[in-house]
Structures are given as structure tokens and as C-alpha cells.
């Protein structure tokens, strides 16, 4: 069988290697790897197995459906889900041994009706997003402790999430986190898993590692922030496509909608069958380049839904040649973080937005 013309090659050994690098950079008792959003676009099951092979002892996802999919795939590692539908009962999840990150009293009451639920209390210490709100935390923790002592739920973890606004902001979140820990302690609850840091805070702030850290983006080889682009992790996704047509343009010929680009001299262009429907950010129009036979060539003209056009000048190019769109930059391929710069976004958005037409091929 020939390879599909658009393909994301997923190097699961690289995900494992990245997790090992990260465990070395931010060592603590437990390592959770986040495999939400289909493993940041890499395939949830592939990412989960690779993370465990790299030494992760926990997996994390946003919602229960994602967790159940991993259980159906036969993944039985400790697994945490923390973003819930309004009517979520947690019955199926707890029966499947999924640990629940609870943020509201309603979550606690629903969990209390489940069979032996394991719970991590999720509190908002300043991110202002998911987690029990500041004004609700005291009552939330009190009720959780009550249900814990009544044997209705097992409070095994306490979690929060940093905003990364500044070192001071993250430290002040840590202080609030520790205040809640003290409140739980006073109520006779000692959660084994205490976790505040995602990739950036885990690497930047040793004091915020507590007993577990949660690595997401860097497990896939991307940087959570520009100052963390040299940690030694490498991209595990390589997006490739075939050249499907070549042509010679004359001086003055325009390419793609609105002729944002015109050839100033006679040149060869190659047509690549990927566009914004496949996850190529349209906002990178005018900035992007791709690699062909180890050499960089500019993407010219408007990035369209299905197609991009590459100007190769007088270089040799043939239908069927492979173009590397993003991946490990060792051979000249653009890094996903470079695409993020071109599109004025973050690498997270580049890898998580691969379209349905792209075949994922795991090795
Ligand atoms: C997505 C997510 C993470 C992972 O963040 P990265 O920046 O990708 O490391 C960690 N914790 C929570 C609660 C998340 O939602």
C-alpha cells in the first residue's frame, strides 16, 4: 500500500524519550502526562502508551469521555479527568477506575453516590478558570473532608493550575495551594497526590513540584513558552505531504486567492495538498516555509483550505516528492514552534488542530 498523500508520522519512542528528559529536569515522586485532545493531536492511545514507557505513572485527560476511550483501548494506568459536563454522574468513570478531579460541590455529591470514588480536589488558586472558586473553596474542602471521613469518597489528591503570568503570580498561587493543604490537614485529610505544576512551572519552579507534576506539551517535544525552547525534548510529530503537481510560472504570474504573491521572474512551484482544513494555519500566509530534500522553500500566496504552493525556484522537484511541513528540525524541517511564530500563535495550537483528512501513522 502506498502512503496517504497527507500524513502525520508519530514517533512514539520520541514521546517516551521526551518524558524521560522531563523527569530528569523536574524530578518528583509522581509524573503525570497529559494526553487530552487526542494526545495533543498525536493519538491518545499512542501517546498514553509512549508516556508510560517513558516512566510516567499517571495519565491525565480533560473529560470523562476521553478517559473511557483510553480504558476501552486497554490502558489501565492511573488516570485523572478534570473537566466535566453539567450532568456528569461519574458512575461509568469511577467503575472504570478513573480518578476524578472535582471542582464543585455538585461534583462531590455526585461522586458520593458512586462506588468507591477516588477524587482529586481541584481548586482555583488564581488561574481564574476551572477549579473551586476562591469564595467557594472553604465550603468545598469542608464537604470533601466530611464525605471522605464518611467513607463516601476517597480524597487522594489536591490540584490546582498556574497561570504563568509571572514568577510572583505562580508563587502566590503556591501559597494559596499550601493554605488549602493546611486546611485539609487540620481536617485530618492528607492527600498523597499534590500537584500544581504543568510543564512550564514544573521546569521553572522546583518548589512547585510537590508530589506530582503534569507534563503536557513538552512530552510531545514542543515548548510551553519561548524561554523553554532548549530543554532537549524533540517534536514527535512529523507532518508530511506529497507534491501532487508542479508547474513553471512566468514573471508576473500570481498564486492563490487575491494574488498576495506574484512571481518576479520565471520560477517552478509545487502544489501540496494541505491547507487550513488540515491544520495549516491560514495566518501563516506570507511567513511559512517547508522542507524539500533537506532544503527550505517558501510557501507563497494565500494558504487555502486544501492547498499550499511552494516556490522552489530552479530546484528539481517532481510529483511524488515528499515535503516536510513540520517536525523535528534536525533535517531542516520547520519546528511546530516555528509555525506558531509564523501564525502568531503557540505550538499547542499547531499540533492539536490537525484535520481529519490527515492520516496519523504511529511508529
Ligand atoms: C492541559 C493541562 C496541563 C498540561 O499543560 P502543558 O502546558 O501542556 O504542560 C496540565 N494540567 C492541566 C490541568 C491541564 O488542563
Amino acid at each position: 500500500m502506498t502512503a496517504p498523500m497527507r500524513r502525520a508520522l508519530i514517533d512514539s519512542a520520541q514521546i517516551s524519550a521526551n518524558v524521560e528528559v522531563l523527569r530528569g529536569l523536574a524530578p518528583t515522586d509522581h509524573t503525570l502526562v497529559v494526553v487530552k485532545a487526542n494526545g495533543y493531536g498525536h493519538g491518545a492511545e499512542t501517546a498514553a502508551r509512549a508516556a508510560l514507557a517513558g516512566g510516567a505513572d499517571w495519565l491525565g485527560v480533560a473529560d470523562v469521555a476521553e478517559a473511557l476511550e483510553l480504558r476501552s483501548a486497554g490502558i489501565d494506568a492511573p488516570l485523572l479527568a478534570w473537566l466535566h459536563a453539567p450532568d456528569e454522574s461519574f458512575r461509568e468513570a469511577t467503575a472504570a477506575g478513573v480518578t476524578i478531579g472535582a471542582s464543585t460541590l455538585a461534583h462531590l455529591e455526585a461522586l458520593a453516590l458512586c462506588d468507591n470514588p477516588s477524587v482529586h480536589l481541584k481548586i482555583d488558586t488564581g488561574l481564574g478558570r476551572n477549579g473551586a472558586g476562591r469564595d467557594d473553596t472553604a465550603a468545598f474542602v469542608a464537604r470533601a473532608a466530611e464525605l471522605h471521613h464518611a467513607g463516601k469518597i476517597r480524597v487522594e489528591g489536591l490540584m490546582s493550575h498556574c497561570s504563568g503570568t509571572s514568577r510572583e503570580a505562580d508563587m502566590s498561587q503556591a501559597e494559596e495551594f499550601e493554605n488549602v493543604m493546611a486546611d485539609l490537614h487540620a481536617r485530618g485529610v492528607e492527600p498523597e497526590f499534590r500537584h500544581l505544576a504543568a510543564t512550564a512551572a514544573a521546569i521553572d519552579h522546583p518548589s512547585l513540584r510537590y508530589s506530582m507534576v503534569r507534563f503536557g506539551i513538552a512530552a510531545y517535544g514542543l515548548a510551553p513558552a519561548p524561554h523553554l525552547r532548549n530543554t532537549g525534548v524533540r517534536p514527535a510529530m512529523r507532518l508530511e505531504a506529497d507534491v501532487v503537481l508542479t508547474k513553471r510560472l512566468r514573471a508576473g504570474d500570481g498564486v492563490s486567492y487575491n494574488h498576495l504573491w506574484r512571481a518576479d521572474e520565471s520560477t517552478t512551484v509545487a502544489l501540496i495538498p494541505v491547507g487550513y482544513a488540515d491544520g495549516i494555519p491560514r495566518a501563516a500566509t506570507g511567513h511559512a516555509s517547508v522542507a524539500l530534500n533537506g532544503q527550505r522553500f517558501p510557501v507563497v500566496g494565500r494558504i487555502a483550505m486544501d492547498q499550499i504552493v511552494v516556490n522552489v525556484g530552479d530546484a528539481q522537484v517532481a510529483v511524488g516528492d515528499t515535503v516536510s511541513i513540520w517536525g523535528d528540525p534536525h533535517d531542516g524541517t520547520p519546528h511546530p514552534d516555528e509555525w506558531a511564530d509564523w501564525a502568531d500563535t503557540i505550538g499547542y495550537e499547531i499540533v492539536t488542530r490537525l484535520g481529519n483528512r490527515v492520516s496519523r501513522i504511529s511508529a
Side-chain angles (χ1 to χ4, degrees), residues 32 34 36 40 61-62 82 122 129 159-161 196-200 214-218 220 224 348:
L32 180 148
V34 183
K36 65 190 177 189
Y40 285 49
V61 289
W82 55 70
K122 192 171 196 320
R129 230 172 50 179
M159 67 185 289
S160 189
H161 197 24
L196 176 61
T199 302
R214 304 183 304 261
F215 291 119
I217 195 69
Y220 305 95
Y348 295 71

